[in-house]
């Protein structure tokens, strides 16, 4: 009884077979079919390799949300070289809440204003990256993917000691400020902090060739999550302006470098995405099945048209010689029908 039930189950399963096998004796191969199959297999292999390269690539996904972290501090990294001696220049930060930020984290280093070849190469590299970012924003994704901790972003030191006089001052370091709008200014004279505001002692400094440099920066908090690094960083956009201070010509102001910054209320989350394996397999099956079905349909259509044309030629519908012979035979038969003699002669009337 069990064997009978198994046989019935197997026979039922065989009846549900959607992929019946055809005997090889009923299969006919042709040169055209082999050519189409070769082209189809080549296309499948090529598209499968290209799809694999797409599967290996990653892309950056940008998500925007409201920045709810107002209590944390914003770190500002500063590295500016001014063509003045360090005793004649000072830097300080004043935010929108009239809070004076101490500049204890900044160092004043007497240096030579002219850069060495290695430092010029570093500066040109930074300028090239900035220009490319302005023109092509896709380069930013490359920077995100290749970002590593501890990358050298500071000015490289001088290789050899020079005998030139130290005619410039390098102000470098970092300070922590509140997440509100503020103003970083580097002007002539050392800053003085007092309850009514702030001032700079510049009485003993000559005011020749005074110029004001202004930079307006919008800072956007950014969270970066890639396969190499996860970090909290910031993006910024800057607009710059400069003008000469000439009180006689009506151009008033204070000479110096003024960096006015403001933080955005939005946070950008940048995460590196990768195509999942199941999606790659589905796309690969779609490519193989689509090419197989399309080439089979095209081969069948071409074969059908070819068979129709060949059958018409075999039937003689397109043979003009045979058509003329048939017309001549019909013409002879008509002539015979018109000129035949009767088999029985009618008796004349008496």
């Amino acid at each position: 009884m069990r064997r009978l039930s198994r046989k019935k189950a197997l026979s039922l399963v065989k009846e549900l077979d959607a992929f019946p096998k055809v005997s090889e004796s009923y299969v006919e191969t042709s040169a055209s079919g082999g050519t189409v199959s070769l082209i189809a297999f080549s296309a499948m292999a090529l598209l499968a390799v290209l799809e694999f390269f797409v599967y290996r690539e990653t892309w950056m996904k940008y998500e925007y949300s409201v920045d709810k972290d107002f209590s944390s501090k914003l770190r500002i990294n500063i590295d500016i070289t001014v063509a003045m001696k360090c005793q004649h220049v000072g830097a300080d930060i004043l935010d929108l809440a009239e809070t004076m930020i101490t500049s204890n984290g900044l160092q004043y280093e007497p240096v030579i204003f002219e850069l060495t070849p290695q430092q010029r190469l570093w500066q040109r590299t930074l300028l090239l990256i900035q220009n490319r970012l302005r023109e092509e924003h896709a380069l930013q994704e490359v920077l995100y993917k290749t970002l590593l901790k501890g990358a050298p972003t500071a000015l490289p030191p001088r290789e050899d000691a020079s005998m030139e006089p130290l005619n410039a001052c390098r102000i470098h370091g970092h300070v922590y400020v509140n997440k509100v709008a503020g103003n970083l200014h580097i002007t002539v004279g050392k800053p003085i902090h007092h309850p009514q505001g702030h001032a700079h002692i510049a009485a003993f400094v000559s005011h020749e060739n005074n110029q004001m440099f202004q930079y307006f920066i919008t800072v956007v908090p950014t969270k970066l999550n890639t396969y190499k690094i996860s970090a909290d960083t910031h993006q910024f956009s800057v607009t710059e302006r400069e003008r000469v201070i000439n009180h006689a010509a009506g151009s008033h102001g204070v000479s110096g470098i003024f960096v006015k910054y403001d933080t955005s209320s939005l946070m950008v989350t940048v995460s590196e995405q990768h195509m999942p394996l199941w999606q790659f397999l589905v796309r690969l099956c779609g490519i193989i099945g689509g090419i197989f079905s399309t080439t089979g349909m095209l081969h069948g259509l071409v074969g059908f048209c070819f068979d129709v044309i060949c059958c018409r030629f075999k039937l003689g519908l397109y043979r003009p010689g045979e058509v003329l012979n048939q017309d001549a035979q019909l013409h002879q038969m008509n002539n015979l029908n018109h000129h035949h003699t009767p088999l029985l002669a009618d008796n004349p009337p008496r």
Side-chain angles (χ1 to χ4, degrees), residues 190-257:
K190 294 298 181 180
I192 299 177
H193 305 285
H194 56 86
Q196 299 298 328
H198 72 287
H200 291 261
I201 301 177
F204 302 100
V205 181
S206 61
H207 296 277
E208 297 175 1
N209 299 326
N210 294 334
Q211 198 162 357
M212 176 187 290
F213 299 90
Q214 292 178 310
Y215 300 91
F216 303 92
I217 299 178
T218 302
V219 182
V220 181
T222 304
K223 286 187 176 181
L224 181 62
N225 298 317
T226 65
Y227 291 103
K228 293 183 179 180
I229 186 176
S230 296
D232 293 336
T233 181
H234 295 83
Q235 303 180 79
F236 67 91
S237 61
V238 58
T239 303
E240 58 185 66
R241 177 191 177 192
E242 61 178 282
R243 62 187 177 91
V244 178
I245 302 300
N246 189 354
H247 298 284
S251 179
H252 304 289
V254 180
S255 60
I257 301 173

Side-chain angles (χ1 to χ4, degrees), residues 25-54:
S25 59
Y26 295 99
V27 177
E28 182 180 0
T29 59
S30 61
S32 61
T35 304
V36 173
S37 299
L38 184 60
I39 295 174
F41 292 149
S42 301
M44 290 178 189
L46 178 60
L47 293 179
V49 172
L50 295 178
E51 188 65 24
F52 177 72
F53 285 121
V54 173

Side-chain angles (χ1 to χ4, degrees), residues 327-347:
D327 292 341
Q329 292 177 2
L330 290 174
H331 183 68
Q332 292 178 359
M333 292 178 66
N334 291 331
N335 291 335
L336 290 175
N337 291 330
H338 286 293
H339 299 285
H340 71 282
T341 56
L343 295 178
L344 296 176
D346 294 335
N347 294 325

